[in-house]
Amino acid sequence: MNNSAEVKPKKKKTWLSLVFVGINILVIVLMAISEFGNQENPGKPFGEIVRLLGEHWYFILLALGAFLLIILCESLKYFVMIRACTGKNMPSASFEVAVMGKYYDFITPSGTGGQPFQMYYLKKAGLSAGVSGALPVMGFFTNQVSFMAAAIALFIWRSSALETAAPMKAAAVFGLICYSVVPVLLVLFSIFPRLTKSIVSGVLRLLSKIRIIKDYEKSFGTVCRYFEDYRSNLYYLAKEKFSFISAFVLSLLAQVAIASVPFFVLRAFGAENTVWLDVMTLSFYVYAAVTFIPTPGNMGVAEGAFYIIFKELSGGVLFWGTMIWRFFTYYLFIILGLLVVAITSLKGKKTVTPSDAEPAGDCSEAAGT
């Protein structure tokens, strides 16, 4: 019985992974057909793309630099938080937690794998259950808030100057609302727990009536425990004001870096009239518009969204531009994650999967309560 129960989830995960990969391949094939099948403006051959990029190689280096800056910011964020909570300098563990968090986020649906893995890894690295639970929460929270802050500022500041299709703008606004739900509810739950529980209860009852969720009582209890754990962790880390501010600033810098990659790609292909702030704003439109898509790393949809928005890449290079952008903002994180997995395995460390990882609980132990 147990063996068959274990096999079914594995088969389900395998099929889901195959479906997600299939969607990604389908979107890429459709983009290729759209560009290379266009007789009026056919896609350039690969050799011509190499020559063109060779003329502007320094922008490709800047795109690589943006990727490295993201890794640096994430690693420094965990280094600062670990030092603030434990007094220990753990650069290697900080780097591995940052990289593997991104890796598992990008290979699991809706980016749900990174945080449980980080909690488990930090516990295995010798940190207390409280600290192990608190640090990934702070990492998640600062990423969410920094993205919202940058996106809202850019949407207000630059949106009127950009020509973006109304459906894409609507999808971006809806995505931003979805993105803000968890941070907003976390703050509300910390300040007004009863009011927040009433709101959650009302939403879950409505979802139960329209049969989106099956068991209201179970769902309500799960959500309340989830927010209670997060509130405990945030309360603990809120005492470490320097680490909180540092984590936010580093998260914001990482958001700017990843949103700047399309600008470097555009310039690498010779698009000289691009404005960095406008391209970065369009990047946030893309990420906000696809944030509610449940595929790993928003695969398939993100490529399509970039392809629709960044039409400034004319002359048969839009397909290649999309692929290079995706390489620096998605596939390179997976490659680095696989390398870290291989290296840690050679060192004899146990590398776990998200299914092995369990939440570390609240920070009562670390906080001394």
Side-chain angles (χ1 to χ4, degrees):
M1 292 294 290
N2 290 338
N3 290 336
S4 61
E6 290 176 359
V7 170
K8 288 182 180 179
K10 288 182 180 179
K11 287 184 176 180
K12 185 178 179 181
K13 289 179 181 179
T14 301
W15 278 109
L16 280 175
S17 298
L18 291 175
V19 169
F20 292 146
V21 171
I23 292 173
N24 193 42
I25 293 173
L26 177 62
V27 171
I28 292 173
V29 169
L30 290 175
M31 289 191 302
I33 293 173
S34 174
E35 181 152 325
F36 293 102
N38 186 346
Q39 296 180 354
E40 296 180 359
N41 188 22
K44 290 184 182 296
F46 184 72
E48 181 66 16
I49 295 298
V50 173
R51 184 197 64 79
L52 185 61
L53 293 178
E55 294 178 358
H56 306 94
W57 57 269
Y58 40 90
F59 285 111
I60 295 299
L61 282 183
L62 287 172
L64 177 61
F67 164 78
L68 295 175
L69 180 60
I70 295 165
I71 297 299
L72 177 63
C73 287
E74 287 294 310
S75 301
L76 283 175
K77 181 168 70 175
Y78 283 99
F79 178 83
V80 169
M81 291 192 297
I82 290 174
R83 181 177 173 80
C85 293
T86 67
K88 299 177 181 179
N89 294 324
M90 302 177 66
S92 178
S94 301
F95 171 75
E96 291 177 8
V97 167
V99 171
M100 299 310 292
K102 289 286 186 184
Y103 170 71
Y104 282 114
D105 274 345
F106 282 156
I107 66 172
T108 53
S110 301
T112 56
Q115 204 174 338
F117 170 84
Q118 289 175 318
M119 292 179 180
Y120 183 88
Y121 181 87
L122 288 168
K123 286 175 66 179
K124 287 295 183 181
L127 276 66
S128 68
V131 172
S132 299
L135 299 190
V137 169
M138 178 62 77
F140 166 81
F141 188 79
T142 53
N143 279 336
Q144 298 284 100
V145 174
S146 63
F147 179 88
M148 290 166 49
I152 292 172
L154 289 170
F155 288 1
I156 294 173
W157 184 17
R158 302 300 301 173
S159 183
S160 60
L162 300 176
E163 294 182 3
T164 306
M168 182 58 69
K169 284 190 175 182
V173 171
F174 177 72
L176 193 59
I177 292 172
C178 293
Y179 210 86
S180 65
V181 167
V182 173
V184 169
L185 285 178
L186 280 173
V187 173
L188 286 177
F189 192 84
S190 299
I191 302 173
F192 308 108
R194 291 185 179 179
L195 173 62
T196 308
K197 285 184 179 180
S198 297
I199 294 173
V200 170
S201 176
V203 171
L204 291 179
R205 286 186 186 278
L206 175 62
L207 294 177
S208 178
K209 287 182 180 180
I210 60 180
R211 298 187 178 181
I212 293 181
I213 62 172
K214 295 181 180 180
D215 190 333
Y216 160 78
E217 295 292 341
K218 182 179 179 180
S219 299
F220 181 70
T222 300
V223 171
C224 286
R225 286 193 299 273
Y226 172 85
F227 281 116
E228 189 62 52
D229 287 345
Y230 268 57
R231 182 178 69 166
S232 300
N233 293 334
L234 287 174
Y235 268 147
Y236 169 62
L237 283 172
K239 298 176 182 178
E240 302 291 340
K241 292 182 173 58
F242 174 77
S243 62
F244 182 89
I245 295 172
S246 298
F248 173 79
V249 171
L250 289 167
S251 295
L252 184 61
L253 186 57
Q255 298 289 357
V256 171
I258 198 169
S260 298
V261 172
F263 173 76
F264 299 134
V265 173
L266 286 168
R267 293 302 302 272
F269 280 104
E272 297 180 355
N273 296 323
T274 55
V275 179
W276 174 64
L277 277 175
D278 291 347
V279 174
M280 191 165 62
T281 303
L282 289 172
S283 299
F284 276 99
Y285 267 119
V286 170
Y287 288 120
V290 303
T291 188
F292 53 89
I293 304 300
T295 58
N298 308 123
M299 68 165 61
V301 183
E303 288 87 347
F306 184 98
Y307 194 74
I308 292 170
I309 288 181
F310 289 85
K311 291 187 176 179
E312 187 175 347
L313 275 179
S314 58
V317 298
L318 179 54
F319 172 79
W320 295 112
T322 303
M323 292 298 97
I324 292 174
W325 162 73
R326 195 59 165 154
F327 173 76
F328 282 114
T329 59
Y330 179 63
Y331 297 111
L332 202 50
F333 286 98
I334 294 178
I335 293 171
L336 181 60
L338 289 172
L339 287 174
V340 172
V341 169
I343 292 171
T344 53
S345 297
L346 289 174
K347 288 180 178 179
K349 293 182 179 179
K350 183 178 184 295
T351 302
V352 296
T353 62
S355 60
D356 297 323
E358 298 179 356
D362 61 38
C363 287
S364 57
E365 176 186 340
T369 56

